[in-house]
């Protein structure tokens, strides 16, 4: 889980100034506090290769500062360069033999090397004389060992202890949610974070984790409230805005999602990804003209945003401006050719202008790119069926069977068999489909409206409708 926090302007300027001097090869002697600020920034942004370059320069200037060797070891650990990490720790230990963080990182390194007994032994030694803060760091390291052992329950237990001791520890709060996901202990996580909030109501990470916990037990309204509290408490916490808006989309509260995205864009933007999210909300709300304006702004900021071009294509499709839609879909596919929904949009646009050959090609591309999703097979089969290409539709249904399964495809096959005068087989499949998913039966009438006139089909649907009412 990468939690995005808005950065201080002074720090951003410091980083920009350093990178400019670095590119020009003009880095002179720098205060160690500046190095520490730069390293904290790069680590927080997960830019470990860049952090490694900076710490090497720091070590050149401050050869006997154990802090920089420890930071280097931590960076190497994150880069999974375990032997180099242990070598760096050895140097740090020679300089500062009693520095506890050296052994914490060493335990993590041995966990990655699957030397679990060695890792546990190091932590057991550290427990003697440990302060409350030390114990939190030991528990976090212990959770790291359990994670590599794939003992996710033990991982969660260690981290829940850590956050109950020190709920302000950012790493522990981030990792306790990861462990809740891995162990699927969502309800435990909800209760844990509620107890933290009772003692510390302004803990934005606790509200954030609580929101995710509610999401996983389908308490979406409570999730939205918790995630909203998270960014109210910490207005610079970008992840909370985004996740809260995403949850609003899940329950189709487009107005609330839009409000949050606009607030985030005003605070953190202009940001082309947020603009695309804003446009998406306007599309859901059927405000196509405003959606297009936001998409064009996003494209102006980043002309390589494939999703912006795709949604622009969707807007033109809704306005029936088909050739503009085709152009936008093509641009999206040129930028990203592994998104099945892009091919489906293009196929439908070609269908609208009666270019059936190009429609066929793109329906095929959609099914090849997303073969596990029944939607793309269904759309392709419905297209062929409406054109009267029933043998081809059967072939595609057989191919779909090799990749996926769904009631919608059973309904499609029932329709095709009905049109091929194979009514007995059609009725068998219809019964199977109605048992599987009654709610999808309307799609048959979209493909072949004449089925509404068949008394046997209507009678069977009514029979299953009564069963649905009795549940």
């Amino acid at each position: 889980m990468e939690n995005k926090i808005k950065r201080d302007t002074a720090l951003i300027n410091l980083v920009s100034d350093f990178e400019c001097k670095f590119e020009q090869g003009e880095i002179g002697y720098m205060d160690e506090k500046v190095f520490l600020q730069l390293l904290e920034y790069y680590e927080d942004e997960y830019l470990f290769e860049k952090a490694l370059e900076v710490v090497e320069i720091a070590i050149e200037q401050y050869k006997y500062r154990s802090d920089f060797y420890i930071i280097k070891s931590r960076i190497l650990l994150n880069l999974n360069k375990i032997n180099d990490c242990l070598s760096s720790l050895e140097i740090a230990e020679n300089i500062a033999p009693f520095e506890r963080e050296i052994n914490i990182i060493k335990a993590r390194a041995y966990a990655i090397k699957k030397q679990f007994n060695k890792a546990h032994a190091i932590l057991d030694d550290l427990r003697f004389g440990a302060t409350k803060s030390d114990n939190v760091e030991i528990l976090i390291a212990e959770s790291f060992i359990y994670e590599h052992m794939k003992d996710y329950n033990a991982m969660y237990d260690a981290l829940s202890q850590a956050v109950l001791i020190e709920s302000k520890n950012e790493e522990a709060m981030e990792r306790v949610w990861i462990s809740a996901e891995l162990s699927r202990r969502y309800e435990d996580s909800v209760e844990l974070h509620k107890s933290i909030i009772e003692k510390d109501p302004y803990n934005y990470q606790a509200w954030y984790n609580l929101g995710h916990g509610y999401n996983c037990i389908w308490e979406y309204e409570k999730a939205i409230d918790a995630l909203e509290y998270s960014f109210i408490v910490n207005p610079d916490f970008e992840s909370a805005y985004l996740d809260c808006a995403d949850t609003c989309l899940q329950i189709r509260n487009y107005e609330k999602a839009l409000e949050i995205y606009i607030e985030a864009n005003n605070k953190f933007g202009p940001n082309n990804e947020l603009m695309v999210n804003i446009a998406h909300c306007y599309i859901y709300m059927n405000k196509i003209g405003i959606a297009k304006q936001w998409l064009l702004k996003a494209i102006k900021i980043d002309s390589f945003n494939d999703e912006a071009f795709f949604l622009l294509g969707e807007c033109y499709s809704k306005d029936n401006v088909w050739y503009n839609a085709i152009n936008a879909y093509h641009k999206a596919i040129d930028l990203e050719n592994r998104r099945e929904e892009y091919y489906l949009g293009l196929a439908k646009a070609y269908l609208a202008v009666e270019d059936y050959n190009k429609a066929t090609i793109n329906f095929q591309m959609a099914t090849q790119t997303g073969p596990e999703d029944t939607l793309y097979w269904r759309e392709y089969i419905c297209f062929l069926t409406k054109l009267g290409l029933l043998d081809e539709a059967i072939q595609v249904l057989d191919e779909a069977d090799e990749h996926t399964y769904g009631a919608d495809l059973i309904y499609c096959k029932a329709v095709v068999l009905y049109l091929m005068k194979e009514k007995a087989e059609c009725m068998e499949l219809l019964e199977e489909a109605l048992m599987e998913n009654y709610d999808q039966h309307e799609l048959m009438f979209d493909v072949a409206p004449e089925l509404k006139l068949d008394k046997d089909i209507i009678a069977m649907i009514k029979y299953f409708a009564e069963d649905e009412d009795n549940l």
Side-chain angles (χ1 to χ4, degrees), residues 103-104 106-112 114-124 127 138-152 154-155 158 175:
N103 284 313
I104 292 286
K106 196 183 287 185
R108 294 188 182 204
Y110 284 128
I112 294 172
K114 300 195 183 303
Q115 296 181 22
F116 302 124
N117 290 337
K118 207 167 188 178
H120 275 300
I122 290 169
L123 296 184
D124 289 342
R127 284 190 169 91
I138 291 166
L139 285 164
I140 295 170
E142 189 174 41
S143 78
F144 201 86
I145 298 168
Y146 288 129
E147 183 180 8
H148 284 273
M149 292 172 70
K150 296 188 171 22
D151 188 345
Y152 301 127
M155 177 188 178
R175 283 183 58 77

Side-chain angles (χ1 to χ4, degrees), residues 428-459:
E428 283 181 26
L429 286 173
L430 178 57
E431 183 179 4
E432 182 185 342
L434 288 165
M435 289 172 66
E436 184 76 25
N437 189 328
Y438 172 85
D439 294 335
Q440 288 186 316
H441 75 269
E442 287 289 339
L443 75 85
M444 292 195 308
F445 305 132
D446 294 335
V447 182
E450 61 267 36
L451 269 66
K452 285 185 178 180
L453 302 175
D454 189 292
K455 292 178 182 178
D456 295 329
I457 285 176
I458 298 304

Side-chain angles (χ1 to χ4, degrees), residues 27-92:
I27 295 173
Y29 184 82
M30 286 166 53
D31 190 283
E32 60 190 273
K33 288 181 182 177
V34 173
F35 278 121
L36 292 171
Q37 284 179 290
L38 290 168
L39 288 164
E40 184 180 4
Y41 171 82
Y42 287 124
E43 284 192 89
D44 286 348
E45 293 294 320
Y46 300 88
L47 298 169
F48 298 118
E49 292 288 357
K50 192 70 184 175
L52 189 59
E53 290 178 350
V54 175
V55 80
E56 294 288 13
I57 297 167
I59 286 169
E60 279 181 29
Q61 296 187 13
Y62 296 93
K63 287 184 171 60
Y64 300 105
R65 278 300 305 266
S66 62
D67 289 2
F68 292 125
Y69 287 102
I70 291 169
I71 292 169
K72 180 181 177 181
S73 304
R74 191 168 64 229
I75 295 164
L76 289 165
L77 186 77
N78 282 307
L79 289 169
N80 209 35
K81 297 180 177 180
I82 308 305
N83 291 332
D84 290 344
C85 166
L86 290 168
S87 297
S88 180
L89 286 171
E90 195 175 329
I91 298 169

Side-chain angles (χ1 to χ4, degrees), residues 131-385:
T131 64
K132 183 190 283 189
S133 181
D134 290 337
N135 273 323
V136 171
E137 293 303 321
I138 291 166
L139 285 164
I140 295 170
E142 189 174 41
S143 78
F144 201 86
I145 298 168
Y146 288 129
E147 183 180 8
H148 284 273
M149 292 172 70
K150 296 188 171 22
D151 188 345
Y152 301 127
N153 278 309
M155 177 188 178
Y156 176 85
D157 290 337
L159 288 162
S160 61
Q161 286 182 60
V163 296
L164 286 171
I165 296 168
E166 192 178 310
S167 63
K168 288 282 196 293
N169 186 296
E170 289 186 11
E171 185 180 11
M173 289 297 288
E174 284 185 17
R175 283 183 58 77
V176 75
W177 173 246
I178 294 169
S179 69
E181 284 191 296
L182 291 170
S183 62
R184 301 185 182 279
R185 290 171 67 174
Y186 306 125
E187 291 182 359
D188 289 347
S189 178
V190 165
E191 293 307 315
L192 172 67
H193 288 95
K194 280 165 67 177
S195 70
I196 291 170
I197 289 164
E198 280 180 22
K199 297 174 187 172
D200 183 8
Y202 296 101
N203 188 317
Y204 75 95
Q205 281 187 299
W207 282 111
Y208 183 70
N209 288 355
L210 179 61
H212 281 287
Y214 278 134
N215 252 328
C216 290
I217 58 173
W218 308 291
E219 297 266 13
Y220 297 118
E221 294 289 354
K222 288 181 180 179
I224 290 166
D225 288 343
L227 291 166
E228 190 169 19
Y229 278 125
S230 181
F231 67 76
I232 288 170
V233 172
N234 182 357
D236 292 331
F237 190 27
E238 187 178 352
S239 292
Y241 291 86
L242 302 180
D243 294 347
C244 187
D246 286 349
T247 306
C248 291
L249 291 181
Q250 277 186 275
I251 62 169
R252 301 184 180 180
N253 188 345
Y254 305 126
E255 290 82 3
K256 177 83 171 175
L258 177 64
E259 177 190 319
I260 296 167
Y261 282 134
I262 289 175
E263 186 180 347
N265 190 59
N266 290 339
K267 187 163 188 66
F268 305 105
N271 178 302
N272 69 294
E273 289 183 14
L274 285 169
M275 288 176 173
V276 167
N277 289 336
I278 290 166
H280 221 147
C281 290
Y282 278 121
I283 292 170
Y284 285 128
M285 295 162 68
N286 208 32
K287 295 182 178 180
I288 305 305
I290 304 174
K292 275 195 275 192
Q293 290 173 25
W294 280 97
L295 290 167
L296 291 169
K297 284 181 191 175
I299 289 166
K300 192 171 182 181
I301 292 173
D302 179 9
S303 60
F304 295 97
N305 189 321
D306 55 284
E307 192 170 1
F309 281 110
F310 167 68
L311 291 178
L312 191 58
E314 296 285 277
C315 289
Y316 285 127
S317 292
K318 286 182 181 290
D319 285 340
N320 298 322
V321 185
W322 296 111
Y323 286 104
N324 283 5
I326 288 167
N327 185 46
Y329 289 132
H330 270 299
K331 284 182 178 175
I333 290 167
D334 287 343
L335 292 168
E336 174 54 78
N337 62 6
R338 293 170 296 175
R339 294 283 292 272
E340 51 269 25
E341 65 268 36
Y342 295 4
Y343 292 108
L344 180 61
L346 184 55
K348 288 183 171 182
Y350 276 126
L351 175 57
V353 298
E354 299 182 358
D355 191 336
Y356 300 132
N357 286 333
K358 287 182 180 174
T360 301
I361 290 166
N362 285 286
F363 277 122
Q364 286 174 341
M365 287 300 299
T367 58
Q368 288 172 21
T369 312
E372 68 289 340
D373 195 325
T374 60
L375 168 66
Y376 304 102
W377 295 102
R378 181 178 80 223
E379 292 284 352
Y380 187 15
I381 292 155
C382 290
F383 159 71
L384 293 170
T385 305

